């Protein structure tokens, strides 16, 4: 990730349905490990967090964002979305 050069990102799981995609990633960086689940509207270039946490259990227990927002070009959400939506 150009905007997060000190971290490594891994795809843990991904699925697509009806033009939407869900992707779970693991980020390993200087601050530790973080899991994130994001929902993408691939056609509309929109995203929202479904959960985030230091463990998968914490990610699954976290509160999702209330609404989707636009994917900013060259952001982490952009690069993760490219993988989620392909």
């Amino acid at each position: 990730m150009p905007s997060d050069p000190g971290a490594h990102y891994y795809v843990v799981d991904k699925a697509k349905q009806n033009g939407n995609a869900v992707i779970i990633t693991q980020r390993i960086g200087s601050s530790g490990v973080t899991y994130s689940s994001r929902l993408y509207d691939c056609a509309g270039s929109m995203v929202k967090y479904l959960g985030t946490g230091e463990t998968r259990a914490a990610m699954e227990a976290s509160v999702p964002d209330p609404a989707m927002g636009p994917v900013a070009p060259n952001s982490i959400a952009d690069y993760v979305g490219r993988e989620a939506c392909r």
Side-chain angles (χ1 to χ4, degrees):
M1 299 287 170
S3 63
D4 194 7
H8 297 279
Y9 285 78
Y10 302 95
V11 174
V12 176
D13 195 13
K14 70 178 184 176
K16 286 174 46 174
Q17 183 176 13
N18 300 327
N20 292 326
V22 174
I23 188 166
I24 298 173
T25 56
Q26 178 191 53
R27 178 194 179 274
I28 300 175
S30 60
S31 60
V33 176
T34 305
Y35 290 87
S36 297
S37 178
R38 296 173 175 93
L39 171 67
Y40 284 88
D41 171 351
C42 297
S45 193
M46 303 286 281
V47 64
K48 80 172 191 171
Y49 276 99
L50 298 176
T52 189
E54 293 179 359
T55 65
R56 290 221 29 198
M59 175 197 75
E60 292 168 1
S62 69
V63 177
D65 287 349
M68 298 185 89
V71 176
N74 298 312
S75 65
I76 293 170
D78 183 19
Y79 286 97
V80 171
R82 292 178 197 187
E83 177 62 27
C85 293
R86 69 178 179 127

